[in-house]
Amino acid sequence: MRSEKAKAIDVSSVHDKVDVQAFDTLYFMNLGLLKRINLIANGRESTIDVIFDGDWIGFDGIPIGCYSCTAISLGSGRAWSIRYDDLLRASGYEPALIQGALTDFSQQLLRRRHSPVSVKALSNDGRVADFLLQWGQSLVAQGREAGPFTMRMTRADLGLLMGLDLEAINRALSNLAFHGAIEFEGEDRSDICVPSLTGLKGFIQSDITFSRVVWQ
């Protein structure tokens, strides 16, 4: 990916390109967060998923020749862009380029498929915890330490991503903080700090165990 044809761009410009228009470019999320949306009939947003650090975006445009959704930046960040025809041309003499991109994208799809959020096997609290865990794991996959990280996203945006109303998001975050899985930062408690991924994993496992007991 770090060929002379790839270039870094500010993620605030990604949504200007990854829209329902002719496909020509792939993007690799290097730092930050995007949400992919569709616009439904009444003009409201329908959130598809979240693009974390280390994720690719744009592969959906290959078979149909155009992008199938819009990507919106959630805060500042950086992405690498590479034209698809440049990637194919460079892969002719360096096959590892396309192999690496496809491997990363396949892992991205597997993570989505096996996430408890996808199958809704968790309570609201567990789903929010799993989202934060996925985010943290994406940072680790990029070679960063699995230490504390801070999420700067409005609770309204988090609710849209999770399909939950604001009250449910606030309640879930409060429960996570009560159990020590997250901490609030800032005077207005708007930023969320995750002390460790181990704490999130433990919370999710407890949530799964409790859900099984309830359904028995």
Side-chain angles (χ1 to χ4, degrees):
M1 254 302 285
R2 299 298 187 267
S3 72
E4 68 280 0
K5 296 296 186 179
K7 63 178 181 178
I9 59 174
D10 187 281
V11 295
S12 61
S13 67
V14 172
H15 88 279
D16 295 330
K17 186 68 176 175
V18 187
D19 207 335
V20 185
Q21 57 180 277
F23 164 80
D24 61 3
T25 303
L26 295 170
Y27 298 88
F28 178 81
M29 197 66 185
N30 182 254
L31 177 67
L33 199 68
L34 299 173
K35 65 176 179 179
R36 293 200 305 164
I37 67 167
N38 279 330
L39 293 178
I40 54 182
N42 59 6
R44 296 180 60 188
E45 294 181 4
S46 173
T47 302
I48 301 172
D49 60 9
V50 182
I51 303 300
F52 296 99
D53 289 23
D55 282 353
W56 286 86
I57 186 169
F59 272 96
D60 57 315
I62 295 176
I64 58 178
C66 64
Y67 300 107
S68 62
C69 62
T70 297
I72 297 178
S73 170
L74 297 172
S76 60
R78 184 176 64 251
W80 286 86
S81 69
I82 182 169
R83 287 185 58 88
Y84 183 58
D85 53 0
D86 288 339
L87 178 62
L88 292 180
R89 192 176 302 111
S91 297
Y93 56 84
E94 189 59 60
L97 289 174
I98 192 67
Q99 291 171 358
L102 292 176
T103 296
D104 289 345
F105 185 62
S106 297
Q107 292 174 340
Q108 178 180 331
L109 293 178
L110 285 174
R111 189 177 72 239
R112 296 284 193 273
R113 179 178 300 174
H114 294 306
S115 168
V117 173
S118 321
V119 298
K120 297 186 177 180
L122 297 169
S123 68
N124 290 344
D125 297 356
R127 292 174 61 198
V128 173
D130 183 72
F131 170 78
L132 295 174
L133 178 62
Q134 287 191 62
W135 193 344
Q137 289 174 333
S138 74
L139 298 177
V140 173
Q142 292 302 296
R144 300 170 197 178
E145 295 183 2
F149 71 92
T150 300
M151 184 189 81
R152 293 181 174 86
M153 179 192 299
T154 68
R155 301 187 182 194
D157 271 334
L158 183 57
L160 284 173
L161 294 174
M162 307 298 300
L164 300 173
D165 60 32
L166 190 57
E167 181 180 354
I169 289 294
N170 285 332
R171 186 164 53 247
L173 292 176
S174 295
N175 287 338
L176 284 167
F178 177 79
H179 288 89
I182 66 170
E183 297 172 355
F184 295 118
E185 292 188 340
E187 294 184 0
D188 57 357
R189 294 161 57 93
S190 58
D191 293 340
I192 300 166
C193 176
V194 178
S196 75
L197 299 186
T198 301
L200 284 175
K201 291 177 182 177
F203 184 92
I204 293 169
Q205 187 56 52
S206 297
D207 189 82
I208 293 174
T209 301
F210 179 75
S211 298
R212 286 173 178 170
V213 171
V214 169
W215 285 102
Q216 284 179 351

